[in-house]
Amino acid sequence: MSGYAPVLERITRVPGVRGAMLVSVKDGLMVSDHSVEGLKGAAVAALAASLAQRVGRALAAAGAGAPAFWHLHASDGAVLAVAAPDDLLVVAVTAPDVNAGLVRLELLRAAEAVA
């Protein structure tokens, strides 16, 4: 688990990122995390895994293939995720004013590092 800490820490260095985690899509559990206090990591992990499964089924039914990146934006922040090998997701929880493009780049780098 701790081997992923430097990868996730790099994501959290982006201004506005509240936390980052590696999540198992199959069971919704955190494999590793780097987050600030107050973030309910287990709940975010479960949400991310559930959404990834549902969006994946919907896109497959539409013939669009598997989701590679998704961004769920809300009034108080966002959850961004990138697919990683071995049914894992790299997830970031952010403030509403974060540079989503920069977060996406760091998530993609993290997904490559996990491979």
Side-chain angles (χ1 to χ4, degrees), residues 3-84:
Y4 299 118
V7 172
L8 297 175
E9 182 181 1
R10 185 171 169 155
I11 298 167
T12 60
R13 286 190 213 147
V14 176
V17 173
R18 296 176 177 156
M21 61 189 70
L22 193 61
V23 176
S24 168
V25 175
K26 289 183 180 180
D27 57 19
L29 297 176
M30 278 190 300
V31 174
S32 184
D33 76 318
H34 191 275
S35 60
V36 297
E37 289 190 35
L39 184 65
K40 296 179 182 177
V44 173
L47 171 69
S50 176
L51 287 172
Q53 290 173 5
R54 291 173 188 236
V55 169
R57 286 192 299 267
L59 289 174
F69 169 75
W70 51 267
H71 180 169
L72 182 62
H73 192 270
S75 60
D76 293 333
V79 177
L80 295 86
V82 168

Side-chain angles (χ1 to χ4, degrees), residues 86-98:
D86 299 325
D87 287 324
L88 295 173
L89 287 175
V90 185
V91 178
V93 178
T94 73
D97 59 347
V98 74

